[in-house]
Amino acid sequence: MSCMHGYQLADHQEVDLSVAMTGELDRALSRHLDKGPYQEDLTFAYWKPSRGATRYTAILHRLNLPKDGDRMLQGNVAFESDYLTRVLAERPANCGVALLHSHLGPGWQDMSEDDIVAERDRLGGLVASASGLPVLGLTRGTDGLWSARFWFRSGRHQYERRWASTVRSVGRRLRISYNPELRPPSPIPQSQAATISVWGESAQTDLARTRVGIVGLGSVGSIIAEALCRTGLEQLSLIDHDRIEERNLDRTLGAYRSDVASKLLKVRIAKRMVDLSHTSARFSATEFADRVQGTTGLSSALDCDAIMCCVDRPWPRHILNVLAYAHLIPLVDGGILARVREDGRLLHVDWRIHTVGPEHACLYCLDALRRSDVGLDRDGRLDDPDYLKGLNQAERERYGRRNVFAFSLSVASHQILQLVGLVSGNEKVGGHGPQVFHAYPGTMEVGENSTCSPDCDIEPLTALAHENIVD
Amino acid sequence: MTIDEFEHHLTSTGHAIESNKVGGDDYVIIKAVPISSGSHAGKTCDVAILRSAAIPWVPQAAVHVRPHLVEMGKASSQASALGSDWQYLSRRFDNAPTAKAFLAYILTVLGEL
């Protein structure tokens, strides 16, 4: 695999290219670029690279909008040299430069000869030498869909275009524009007829092409894997370092006694299961036997469009919480708390499900994660029996990880519905806020569409795409 | 917040700091922190905080103090990886760690002993 650094074509061979922006930035671009049926417009922006295992993503960071006299508007549009000079002078450290413009038709936009000259010849060498990163070009269609390409140096004074496969806009909704050649829609199989009858072909096509990571293939994760592949998703990344044990058999879908004897990896069990039960004609599930705090686990998570968080340990949940904002990979998270009296009688059971990322509150602001627990987990204290013995009853309850299969089924179901809501924008499927279910008396509380608190240290990381997430 | 921002806040508010590496871990040591209340009011102690370059910085659920301030094993204390003259105080800090808030938290931990 290529190293994905710099702007040389040789360093980005066989890499999946992508672009991401916040929903807020997308709306700002719509306000600036959508000038009606007869006028295109343009702007420059800055971006930062996000490097996964197989995907290189430009995370749009902020705009540098044109001022009066910065561009010529004559139906089509061109930028003046002074505008480019200003954009290069004001470029933040470690940022690339993107040129974004609008076209007057819908869908994934191709390029005119003028577009190619502007990006390849006017910008290619100048931007690459100034920023150390390739030129990025994006075109917005009248329906708000984006196309995108990178210009890599292939030789002396030569820059070659490489199309991105996707452009995702991440806000209340995850909206992905797909390159019709690199990521064409699959024909919808007859096995999806009932599904489509509920949320329609368009939502199903979007959902099927979303690359979803499942972090944690235990009770909830194994159910989600089975459900997503039956729902027609084409690409799953399965991430878990753990091996199956006998105590997991009461709630891990697809696991058998023989797997315990052979100490099979949970990702291997999940892959075996989804390879048999998927309904898509273009299905691929990739297994990563690593923790998300490990190099392989983290880079494979960075390849995903959305992540289903099915781990209960605080440290990996912290990392996924950061990725949701800094790298614009939204997270659908769930958790179960079953409290039991000292005499063994059940006290109560709650479970909660929430979507995390830009325009949603983070795990800390939802009170779904505590920083001190992250510190304890990172230090290995949560695996230290002596430390756990010294905790008070309430703290031990939180780390007790009590669970039964039926609780996991419910959490998995609601996580999937929130994912469908996130991708389709259909609140009638996904609901409209964080959900907390109380098993007794059997009520679902729905929170407000909350955002992070003003002093939150996670939300300010939005679109920074920083790499030092783990020590 | 990053650990560098916290260290900058410490120096800008007149605290003397140094760094110490033990095994693979880096600590920032705040020298002679005055204790303003509690059973050690009027004394000073050194405080060590585990560094991490990860962003955002998530503090360890502990502060390390020198000399020992409580009988070992009492008040959620235990041996510190920094050495026998240090004491590990297990404490939770769950707020967003701004530099000012985290320093106030350290002073509160010392003042509550």
Side-chain angles (χ1 to χ4, degrees):
Chain A
M1 180 52 69
S2 307
C3 74
M4 298 193 215
H5 284 269
Y7 53 84
Q8 301 290 346
L9 183 61
D11 293 328
H12 298 81
Q13 298 283 17
E14 298 173 37
V15 170
D16 180 27
L17 300 170
S18 185
V19 178
M21 68 183 84
T22 62
E24 185 181 6
L25 194 84
D26 196 6
R27 291 191 292 276
L29 283 163
S30 169
R31 288 192 293 275
H32 172 70
L33 294 176
D34 295 345
K35 292 285 195 298
Y38 307 111
Q39 182 60 60
E40 299 177 355
D41 206 340
L42 62 73
T43 184
F44 282 104
Y46 302 112
W47 62 275
K48 291 191 166 185
S50 167
R51 300 177 181 92
T54 61
R55 185 173 76 179
Y56 181 86
T57 305
I59 306 277
L60 287 183
H61 181 55
R62 72 175 173 85
L63 306 180
N64 190 331
L65 292 168
K67 297 174 180 169
D68 288 345
D70 274 346
R71 81 278 204 213
M72 290 171 285
L73 296 165
Q74 299 168 323
N76 57 10
V77 59
F79 61 86
E80 298 285 359
S81 296
D82 286 352
Y83 181 24
L84 175 59
T85 303
R86 175 164 62 82
V87 165
L88 290 174
E90 294 173 0
R91 185 181 62 84
N94 307 318
C95 278
V97 173
L99 175 64
L100 303 94
H101 75 285
S102 53
H103 274 179
L104 303 178
W108 182 276
Q109 296 294 305
D110 206 339
M111 301 180 77
S112 67
E113 195 52 40
D114 287 346
D115 293 340
I116 293 171
V117 167
E119 293 181 11
R120 182 190 60 196
D121 302 339
R122 292 188 68 191
L123 296 176
L126 203 56
V127 166
S129 59
S131 68
L133 293 165
V135 166
L136 170 65
L138 288 100
T139 311
R140 182 181 175 87
T142 48
D143 52 0
L145 289 182
W146 290 97
S147 68
R149 57 266 152 198
F150 294 79
W151 294 89
F152 292 106
R153 187 173 187 269
S154 56
R156 187 174 160 79
H157 304 306
Q158 286 186 321
Y159 288 84
E160 278 190 29
R161 180 178 62 192
R162 287 290 180 273
W163 284 100
S165 61
T166 57
V167 179
R168 63 184 194 273
S169 166
V170 185
R172 288 297 306 165
R173 182 182 170 190
L174 168 61
R175 189 176 196 220
I176 305 179
S177 305
Y178 292 96
N179 183 323
E181 289 185 10
L182 298 176
R183 297 287 296 279
S186 292
I188 293 177
Q190 185 56 34
S191 55
Q192 292 300 327
T195 303
I196 290 165
S197 73
V198 174
W199 56 58
E201 196 168 320
S202 170
Q204 179 63 22
T205 303
D206 287 345
L207 188 64
R209 287 185 289 178
T210 306
R211 181 167 184 167
V212 175
I214 306 173
V215 179
L217 273 303
S219 53
V220 175
S222 63
I223 299 164
I224 286 178
E226 171 75 2
L228 290 183
C229 76
R230 285 195 183 275
T231 308
L233 269 77
E234 296 171 0
Q235 286 185 288
L236 296 181
S237 295
L238 311 171
I239 305 167
D240 196 327
H241 73 286
D242 210 0
R243 292 176 185 275
I244 196 79
E245 295 177 48
E246 184 160 9
R247 64 187 176 87
N248 306 132
L249 288 180
D250 64 347
R251 59 189 188 279
T252 306
L253 209 59
Y256 304 102
R257 278 200 191 86
S258 55
D259 299 332
V260 175
S262 52
K263 295 181 180 170
L264 211 55
L265 285 159
K266 289 179 178 175
V267 284
R268 187 65 46 84
I269 293 168
K271 178 157 168 57
R272 179 182 66 194
M273 178 177 68
V274 297
D275 280 347
L276 288 170
S277 53
H278 69 85
T279 57
S280 167
R282 271 208 303 252
F283 182 74
S284 80
T286 313
E287 53 185 294
F288 300 95
D290 194 14
R291 300 166 193 267
V292 80
Q293 54 268 47
T295 307
T296 306
L298 183 61
S299 59
S300 55
L302 286 167
D303 284 347
C304 298
D305 299 323
I307 289 177
M308 306 296 270
C309 179
C310 310
V311 284
D312 50 12
R313 296 300 289 252
W315 192 22
R317 292 178 73 227
H318 162 79
I319 291 165
L320 296 175
N321 192 38
V322 173
L323 289 192
Y325 296 85
H327 292 260
L328 304 182
I329 303 170
L331 186 69
V332 184
D333 176 72
I336 298 164
L337 179 63
R339 295 191 61 200
V340 175
R341 294 180 202 272
E342 293 207 20
D343 62 8
R345 283 185 299 152
L346 182 65
L347 193 60
H348 72 80
V349 190
D350 295 336
W351 50 86
R352 55 190 300 181
I353 312 95
H354 29 253
T355 301
V356 164
E359 299 179 41
H360 298 83
C362 78
L363 290 179
Y364 292 118
C365 293
L366 286 165
D367 202 22
L369 182 63
R370 297 185 188 185
R371 289 177 177 81
S372 61
D373 286 343
V374 175
L376 290 170
D377 191 17
R378 194 182 49 198
D379 283 359
R381 300 274 168 184
L382 300 186
D383 295 314
D384 177 354
D386 289 335
Y387 180 82
L388 294 172
K389 206 160 54 183
L391 296 174
N392 63 39
Q393 173 72 10
E395 287 172 330
R396 277 203 304 274
E397 292 274 352
R398 282 199 296 119
Y399 305 133
R401 303 162 80 180
R402 291 189 179 90
N403 193 6
V404 295
F405 193 60
F407 303 163
S408 297
L409 281 168
S410 179
V411 172
S413 166
H414 282 94
Q415 279 189 246
I416 293 160
L417 293 176
Q418 289 211 6
L419 176 72
V420 174
L422 179 72
V423 173
S424 68
N426 189 344
E427 291 195 340
K428 290 178 181 171
V429 175
H432 72 273
Q435 298 164 330
V436 180
F437 182 77
H438 306 288
Y440 179 81
T443 50
M444 177 75 90
E445 276 179 45
V446 180
E448 293 300 312
N449 285 330
S450 54
T451 52
C452 286
S453 64
D455 65 346
C456 176
D457 58 346
I458 301 296
E459 193 273 340
L461 301 175
T462 299
L464 288 186
H466 67 289
E467 292 184 341
N468 47 340
I469 293 164
V470 183
D471 274 328
Chain B
M1 183 179 70
T2 65
I3 189 68
D4 291 339
E5 288 165 349
F6 179 57
E7 290 182 9
H8 181 260
H9 177 73
L10 289 171
T11 51
S12 68
T13 50
H15 292 84
I17 61 170
E18 58 186 45
S19 55
N20 191 357
K21 192 160 189 162
V22 179
D25 292 329
D26 261 333
Y27 293 85
V28 54
I29 295 174
I30 317 168
K31 304 289 287 182
V33 178
I35 305 173
S36 57
S37 59
S39 60
H40 297 283
K43 299 180 192 169
T44 65
C45 72
D46 293 343
V47 173
I49 301 295
L50 184 63
R51 296 183 98 256
S52 160
I55 298 174
W57 175 56
V58 178
Q60 191 181 27
V63 295
H64 304 251
V65 293
R66 178 176 61 186
H68 295 195
L69 295 179
V70 294
E71 186 184 335
M72 197 61 103
K74 297 279 172 67
S76 300
S77 66
Q78 56 186 280
S80 165
L82 282 157
S84 59
D85 51 341
W86 287 90
Q87 189 169 43
Y88 174 106
L89 300 176
S90 178
R91 295 292 186 275
R92 288 180 176 275
F93 181 77
D94 282 318
N95 300 325
T98 63
K100 203 172 166 181
F102 193 69
L103 181 56
Y105 153 77
I106 292 170
L107 299 176
T108 303
V109 168
L110 301 178
E112 285 179 342
L113 294 172

